[in-house]
Amino acid sequence: MSSSALARLYWKLESWIVPGLRSSQNVYAEVLYSTVTPSTRWLDLGCGHQVFPDWIDQNSIVRRAAMVVGIDPDAGSIKHHKAIRNRVVGLDLPFAAGSFDLITANMVFEHLENPAAVLADLRRVLAPGGKLIFHTVNRRYWKVMVARGIPQSLKTRLVHWMEGRAEADIYPTHYRINTQRDIFESGAAAGFHVHDIQFVNTSSTSRMKLGPFVLVELALIRL
């Protein structure tokens, strides 16, 4: 069966078993669209080559902000960014204190080896009253728990097969700030006040490659 046929089958099963289920990427995008204003100075951490996946418009939100800077250690990825013009290659933040009103990270925090140090530096460059918004995975989700026991080389091949992502875009994961408790404790230690945490069941056509197990997962999400 072709990938497009698999996608159509997945959407049909999903709408039948869990009507209204959406991608967490859409939820993340809505939060950002409700936050960014014409005065926003925005830093996108681990920006890669796009703010959102291809099915979500990113150009209009980037144009809305007063200033947008993207930073990522992967030079090969960041040079192909489709929306952000101001780009920095690296891990450290070469910015003055209070440079940004908003800092975002889309599926980045699960890759941090030392989240405490990163959060401290993010707090430094964030202006008083500014916001840090990040989208990441839940370490206690069953697929994450399974993935943590799989060698990285095998995990890379599995993600490439299931999601069609280039292997160069698949990075090691550490899951050191990926529970509610971790977020509250690490955030407080860095001087952040945690305003809101949303747990989101997410839609994904890549699950079709799990075969019959997709029915079990959709049923669990419904429950």
Side-chain angles (χ1 to χ4, degrees):
M1 186 178 289
S2 69
S3 58
S4 59
L6 280 174
R8 289 193 297 272
L9 177 58
Y10 178 84
W11 299 131
K12 184 175 292 186
L13 288 170
E14 180 187 278
S15 64
W16 175 54
I17 299 172
V18 198
L21 185 65
R22 307 167 64 218
S23 170
S24 60
Q25 290 285 353
N26 288 95
V27 177
Y28 172 71
E30 287 176 2
V31 172
L32 264 58
Y33 266 93
S34 68
T35 302
V36 174
T37 71
S39 64
T40 300
R41 299 169 298 161
W42 172 15
L43 173 66
D44 194 27
L45 181 74
C47 64
H49 54 82
Q50 56 196 110
V51 179
F52 306 125
D54 290 333
W55 72 84
I56 302 174
D57 174 40
Q58 60 181 335
N59 292 306
S60 60
I61 193 171
V62 170
R63 288 195 297 264
R64 180 188 299 178
M67 175 185 72
V68 186
V69 178
I71 184 168
D72 197 292
D74 189 340
S77 179
I78 199 174
K79 72 179 181 180
H80 296 297
H81 204 291
K82 301 175 182 178
I84 297 176
R85 293 184 178 181
N86 303 312
R87 288 163 284 180
V88 177
V89 177
L91 288 169
D92 299 322
L93 305 181
F95 311 110
S99 294
F100 301 97
D101 309 301
L102 172 67
I103 300 174
T104 60
N106 190 3
M107 301 304 284
V108 172
F109 273 39
E110 65 272 22
H111 301 289
L112 299 181
E113 291 188 68
N114 188 353
V118 173
L119 285 175
D121 210 18
L122 293 178
R123 185 69 186 85
R124 177 186 65 82
V125 302
L126 196 62
K131 294 181 179 180
L132 166 63
I133 299 173
F134 63 93
H135 171 215
T136 189
V137 296
N138 182 355
R139 192 175 73 202
R140 292 183 174 146
Y141 182 53
W142 72 268
K143 285 206 295 187
V144 175
M145 291 191 287
V146 170
R148 292 176 68 193
I150 299 175
Q152 183 62 40
S153 58
L154 176 57
K155 190 187 306 182
T156 298
R157 292 195 293 272
L158 285 171
V159 172
H160 174 67
W161 171 67
M162 289 183 64
E163 300 182 9
R165 285 160 53 192
E167 293 191 11
D169 289 337
I170 303 169
Y171 305 99
T173 47
H174 303 285
Y175 306 112
R176 291 177 180 163
I177 186 169
N178 288 85
T179 66
Q180 181 169 277
R181 180 176 178 177
D182 291 340
I183 292 169
F184 271 99
E185 291 182 350
S186 298
F192 284 96
H193 168 70
V194 179
H195 175 71
D196 183 43
I197 296 177
Q198 295 187 37
F199 291 91
V200 181
N201 284 320
T202 186
S203 168
S204 173
T205 55
S206 67
R207 292 191 172 106
M208 277 306 300
K209 293 185 179 179
L210 293 173
F213 291 106
V214 73
L215 297 173
V216 175
E217 183 179 38
L218 287 172
L220 288 173
I221 291 173
R222 172 66 181 266
L223 290 173

